[in-house]
């Protein structure tokens, strides 16, 4: 999607290993979000950021950490991957908390074996 | 936990027919949004309706909002095969938390 890229697009990793997913934006939007999408659950919020170094937890934050050292990059780290973290991860951006829709990346499909 | 619940979970119609999807939610909202997701892709924002609005149009899309019933509907008129996708409602609550998504409606438009 224009202005937002996620990397990698696909990853297979072993249980217990750390994994970092990257979200990069060129829109200079203040807000960035990480969601996971699972069958039967829809999208659930993991963490979000409302500025450089400003982050907060979402509904399913256990086992995940995030960092935002620059406006354009928002990193999601699985500290020790588990099979329950097998999912599709989406990053989204927004210029403001209210009044705007989110722009989503194309997603990262993560498989933990 | 999910705020919005879409109904039906799946919908199959013929090309040219109208498709209606509903969303119910539980708490006070600032706005409600609808998104489309094609298979294997990210979500695309379709329309946003604020809590003080009752109806909005965008091309073939019509969204209504009834805050007294805590419900919204998305109508796609004269559907096309390219409208085949999953459709999600998402609510921005009156607090400061980000969008909360429902589980989606899978729409199949048969040519």
């Amino acid at each position: 999607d224009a202005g937002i890229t996620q990397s990698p697009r696909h990853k297979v990793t072993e249980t217990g290993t750390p994994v970092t997913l990257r979200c990069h934006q060129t829109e200079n939007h203040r807000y960035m979000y990480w969601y996971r999408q699972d069958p039967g659950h829809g999208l659930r919020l993991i963490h979000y950021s409302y500025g450089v170094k400003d982050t907060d937890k979402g509904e399913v934050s256990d086992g995940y950490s995030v960092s935002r050292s620059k406006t354009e990059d928002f990193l999601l780290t699985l500290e020790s991957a588990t099979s329950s973290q097998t999912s599709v991860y989406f990053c989204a951006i927004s210029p403001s908390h209210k009044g705007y829709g989110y722009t989503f990346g194309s997603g990262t499909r993560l498989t933990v074996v | 936990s999910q705020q919005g619940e879409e109904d039906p979970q799946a919908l199959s119609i013929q090309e040219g027919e109208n498709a209606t999807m509903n969303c119910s939610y539980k708490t006070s909202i600032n706005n409600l949004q609808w998104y489309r997701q094609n298979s294997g892709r990210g979500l695309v924002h379709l329309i946003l309706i604020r809590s003080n609005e009752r109806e909005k149009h965008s091309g073939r899309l019509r969204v209504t909002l009834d805050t007294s019933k805590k419900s919204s509907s998305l109508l796609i008129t004269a559907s096309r095969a390219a409208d085949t996708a999953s459709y999600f409602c998402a609510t921005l609550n009156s607090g400061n938390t980000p969008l909360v998504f429902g589980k989606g409606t899978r729409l199949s438009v048969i040519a």
Side-chain angles (χ1 to χ4, degrees):
Chain A
D1 288 299
I4 177 172
T5 55
Q6 291 185 233
S7 58
R9 290 296 313 276
H10 302 273
K11 186 170 182 67
V12 179
T13 192
E14 293 187 347
T15 299
T17 60
V19 177
T20 295
L21 309 183
R22 181 184 185 229
C23 179
H24 178 78
Q25 60 142 333
T26 57
E27 304 295 326
N28 200 36
H29 285 342
R30 179 181 174 188
Y31 289 81
M32 299 185 75
Y33 312 87
W34 278 108
Y35 287 85
R36 60 178 286 176
Q37 184 175 33
D38 303 287
H41 289 278
L43 276 83
R44 293 179 291 174
L45 181 69
I46 305 171
H47 282 279
Y48 67 102
S49 170
Y50 46 96
V52 173
K53 292 186 168 50
D54 291 324
T55 64
D56 206 348
K57 295 179 179 181
E59 177 190 354
V60 290
S61 60
D62 286 349
Y64 302 94
S65 62
V66 289
S67 66
R68 192 168 178 202
S69 59
K70 300 185 289 185
T71 298
E72 56 266 35
D73 289 324
F74 192 31
L75 304 180
L76 176 70
T77 297
L78 288 65
E79 292 142 6
S80 177
T82 67
S83 58
S84 65
Q85 293 176 313
T86 292
S87 186
V88 181
Y89 291 86
F90 287 101
C91 177
I93 59 175
S94 176
S96 173
H97 171 60
K98 297 180 182 179
Y100 293 87
Y102 293 0
T103 300
F104 279 81
S106 298
T108 294
R109 181 173 295 277
L110 177 69
T111 303
V112 183
V113 297
Chain B
S1 59
Q2 256 67 26
Q3 157 77 313
E5 291 287 340
E6 291 92 341
D7 171 63
Q9 291 186 341
L11 179 62
S12 183
I13 60 173
Q14 297 289 326
E15 207 168 30
E17 294 180 338
N18 295 341
T20 300
M21 288 158 269
N22 302 296
C23 172
S24 60
Y25 58 92
K26 298 172 184 173
T27 62
S28 296
I29 61 170
N30 176 279
N31 67 60
L32 185 145
Q33 305 178 25
W34 285 91
Y35 289 78
R36 184 188 75 236
Q37 183 181 34
N38 291 94
S39 181
R41 307 291 296 273
L43 279 74
V44 174
H45 179 252
L46 296 176
I47 200 164
L48 180 154
I49 186 166
R50 293 179 173 79
S51 60
N52 61 354
E53 297 175 312
R54 291 298 165 257
E55 187 170 313
K56 254 186 135 168
H57 297 256
S58 177
R60 293 184 295 113
L61 306 181
R62 172 179 169 249
V63 169
T64 61
L65 179 64
D66 187 336
T67 53
S68 68
K69 295 180 179 179
K70 291 187 169 57
S71 68
S72 173
S73 68
L74 170 67
L75 168 68
I76 304 174
T77 60
S79 62
R80 306 165 181 168
D83 294 326
T84 294
S86 291
Y87 291 82
F88 295 86
C89 71
T91 53
L92 188 72
N93 298 335
S94 300
N96 288 323
T97 55
L99 283 179
V100 179
F101 286 82
K103 298 178 183 179
T105 292
R106 290 190 314 278
L107 173 66
S108 297
V109 182
I110 302 165

